[in-house]
Amino acid sequence: MKILTDWGFTREGWRNNSRGEYLVLLQGGLLTGFVILPVYQLPGLKIQSTHLLYIIWFMASILGLTGLIFIIKGLIDLGKNLTPLPYPREDGELVQTGIYGIVRHPLYSGLILAALGWTLFQMSISHLIASALLIILFEIKANREETWLTKKYPEYSEYRQKVKKLIPGIN
């Protein structure tokens, strides 16, 4: 399929993980698992106060909506540079504007925030554990991606100094 080759997928890459193909598979598996994961709440953890429950739902909604905004804006700002691989496209350009002026990896940030929003909304321990695994995966994937971006774009080191990795205000 042309879209896969445009994104940088190759048979060789699938064989030796040269562009982070296995991380993409792991990401797909974790995200699928997150969606189908049953909600498990601690047996004694029931919110008795309706007021407190609404506050928790409001905070969960803010997290989810912020995540969705990060994802949509990240996709728009990235444009033709989009690839699910951590390896940059051969014909790509370094994007430092828009949401990429706030965080270096807004798509990962958005997925993390959305996952945390769902976790809070459901008060789910199983989803909290899955969210932790997603955070670890995105940290690993972002680090791998940044190694390649630094090699491809000399200005990436300076950009890294100015813009936070995943969460604004937190490196």
Side-chain angles (χ1 to χ4, degrees), residues 10-105:
T10 63
R11 288 179 195 252
E12 179 68 21
W14 284 114
R15 277 188 226 116
N16 64 16
N17 190 35
S18 61
R19 296 179 177 209
E21 290 83 357
Y22 299 167
L23 289 171
V24 174
L25 285 177
L26 184 57
Q27 177 181 330
L30 280 175
L31 290 172
T32 301
F34 187 90
V35 170
I36 64 173
L37 188 65
V39 172
Y40 176 75
Q41 299 171 332
L42 289 176
L45 184 66
K46 285 287 182 199
I47 305 294
Q48 301 300 327
S49 166
T50 307
H51 182 70
L52 180 58
L53 187 61
Y54 289 154
I55 290 171
I56 290 170
W57 286 352
F58 177 75
M59 291 178 358
S61 298
I62 294 298
L63 282 171
L65 184 59
T66 303
L68 185 61
I69 290 168
F70 272 53
I71 292 167
I72 292 170
K73 186 71 171 126
L75 290 170
I76 290 169
D77 291 349
L78 200 55
K80 68 176 184 63
N81 298 295
L82 177 68
T83 176
L85 292 168
Y87 192 86
R89 287 177 63 134
E90 298 297 331
D91 61 347
E93 301 170 359
L94 180 60
V95 178
Q96 301 180 55
T97 58
I99 194 80
Y100 288 88
I102 299 171
V103 290
R104 298 191 308 263
H105 302 279

Side-chain angles (χ1 to χ4, degrees), residues 112 116 130-140 166:
I112 290 168
L116 291 173
S131 294
L133 293 174
L134 282 172
I135 291 168
I136 292 167
L137 170 71
F138 287 132
E139 179 68 24
I140 291 167
L166 293 170

Side-chain angles (χ1 to χ4, degrees), residues 119-134:
T119 299
L120 187 58
F121 179 76
Q122 292 291 338
M123 301 289 289
S124 173
I125 297 300
S126 53
H127 284 89
L128 181 61
I129 293 167
S131 294
L133 293 174
L134 282 172

Side-chain angles (χ1 to χ4, degrees), residues 105-170:
H105 302 279
L107 300 177
Y108 303 161
S109 302
L111 288 168
I112 290 168
L113 291 171
L116 291 173
W118 182 253
T119 299
L120 187 58
F121 179 76
Q122 292 291 338
M123 301 289 289
S124 173
I125 297 300
S126 53
H127 284 89
L128 181 61
I129 293 167
S131 294
L133 293 174
L134 282 172
I135 291 168
I136 292 167
L137 170 71
F138 287 132
E139 179 68 24
I140 291 167
K141 191 175 177 193
N143 287 341
R144 183 103 182 256
E145 185 172 343
E146 292 196 341
T147 299
W148 284 320
L149 288 168
T150 301
K151 287 179 184 172
K152 181 169 182 170
Y153 304 108
E155 65 272 25
Y156 194 81
S157 292
E158 183 181 329
Y159 170 62
R160 235 175 126 164
Q161 298 299 315
K162 293 188 295 189
V163 179
K164 301 299 182 187
K165 185 189 283 187
L166 293 170
I167 307 295
I170 301 173

